[in-house]
Amino acid sequence: GRPNAPTLLMVGSSFDHNGYDGLQIKNYVSQFSYLQQFAYAFGSSFDHNGNDGVQLSNVLDYGIVNTAALSTVTPYQLGIVYSDVSHNGADGLDIENTTIAESALIQGVYLSDSHFDDNHDYGIISNSTNGNGSLLLQRTVLYSYLTGMSADGNGADGVQVAITGGSQAIYAASAVYVYSANGAPAGDFSNNGASGISILAANGAHNNSYIYNANVDHNAIAGISLSSFDYAEQFAYIGLNTISNNPVGVLAYESNALQIVSVYNNYYTHAPMGNVFSGNSTDVAASGAGGEIGRGGDGGNMGGPEAADGDALLRRAQNAVAPTHKLRRNPFRPAIDHDLNSDSRCT
């Protein structure tokens, strides 16, 4: 396929009320094969399905999937625009990527002006795991252009993107963009059973996150959650958001990794980038072994009692969530739970 000649084009279509997935795309690329794939949906619905609204799965074993995700003119393996992916029995959008050995996955996902609301588990979940001798590069874009993006009222996270490297992998990296055009409605990531937006990196993977001009309100654990483990690197830039009425507004968790989170204020008056925090039990907290949180233009370590209280705040938020469902496929939840219940951990 080519970007201007999609492998699969869905316009004004309905994939609703199915017993399992609304749309399922599964690729197994092996034996030195090469796949280019472009699936685009415009003005379509993937609602009220028994499992996922949309499921995309790539498994590579000596194979290549390339959508030129890092090029200047970006074609995407999956694009969903002006569509509804809501009220499904599991996730709205479920993306699973696995490289087994000697493979390369270069993937772009573009989601714009679409709704991933009121799904039983996640609104949007993307899990990528990189295997031995493999390269994994991923770009995920959530863009509010005219009518606004949303992942609202889901049972688990509104959005979760997780990338895991490998001890013998070549490189695993991802970039997550959540932003709105000037004058467009802000994206809405609110009223979810866990976090509004959750980004995770582990086992040597690298992630950059850019979260601008979003509403992140009334989530059960945190508005925005950033977690890094086991030699991962994560850099996050958070500005121009409204973050309110969450137990923790921005929660950064780090264990044996490098994580730097910039939560902007209006330090530079000529170019204000500040977030609006209100009604959160705590606005910003660091949890786990550490991690640096810069507040605005100074780039300094936040420190202070908020950082020290991060573990207790996360425990309190978790205890407040009624166990009405089991959060699925978070590969790092056991590590977080272990640290929070360990007396030997240092902060």
Side-chain angles (χ1 to χ4, degrees), residues 82-309:
Y82 305 131
S83 296
D84 194 63
V85 191
S86 302
H87 301 284
N88 294 288
D91 307 320
L93 171 61
D94 178 8
I95 300 171
E96 304 285 344
N97 296 313
T98 303
T99 62
I100 297 174
E102 305 293 336
S103 299
L105 171 62
I106 304 175
Q107 180 188 65
V109 175
Y110 180 81
L111 311 172
S112 177
D113 291 336
S114 297
H115 303 289
F116 301 81
D117 303 335
D118 299 304
N119 297 287
H120 186 271
D121 294 333
Y122 297 86
I124 300 164
I125 181 168
S126 173
N127 277 340
S128 298
T129 303
N130 200 29
N132 292 343
S134 296
L135 171 69
L136 196 159
L137 302 175
Q138 184 182 44
R139 171 184 286 176
T140 305
V141 177
L142 285 71
Y143 183 38
S144 296
Y145 179 60
L146 290 176
T147 61
M149 275 285 302
S150 69
D152 189 281
N154 298 286
D157 296 326
V159 178
Q160 184 190 104
V161 178
I163 184 167
T164 304
S167 59
Q168 299 182 42
I170 295 175
Y171 190 55
S174 70
V176 180
Y177 300 84
V178 181
Y179 66 109
S180 301
N182 289 336
D188 186 32
F189 307 93
S190 304
N191 303 298
N192 295 289
S195 297
I197 300 171
S198 178
I199 314 294
L200 307 101
N203 204 8
H206 180 96
N207 181 74
N208 283 6
S209 297
Y210 309 87
I211 303 172
Y212 298 121
N213 196 24
N215 293 325
V216 192
D217 308 328
H218 291 98
N219 296 287
I221 292 179
I224 298 171
S225 175
L226 303 152
S227 304
S228 300
F229 303 85
D230 299 332
Y231 306 104
E233 296 178 343
Q234 179 157 209
F235 302 90
Y237 307 89
I238 301 171
L240 297 173
N241 302 289
T242 299
I243 305 172
S244 60
N245 298 300
N246 306 284
V248 184
V250 177
L251 176 61
Y253 182 94
E254 177 269 328
S255 177
N256 199 28
L258 172 64
Q259 179 166 276
I260 299 177
V261 180
S262 296
V263 182
Y264 291 108
N265 57 27
N266 291 327
Y267 181 87
Y268 297 113
T269 56
H270 66 284
M273 289 285 291
N275 300 277
V276 176
F277 290 93
S278 66
N280 302 294
S281 298
T282 295
D283 289 336
V284 182
S287 179
E292 183 172 303
I293 300 183
R295 300 299 298 272
D298 58 2
N301 194 316
M302 185 191 72
E306 281 189 322
D309 283 346

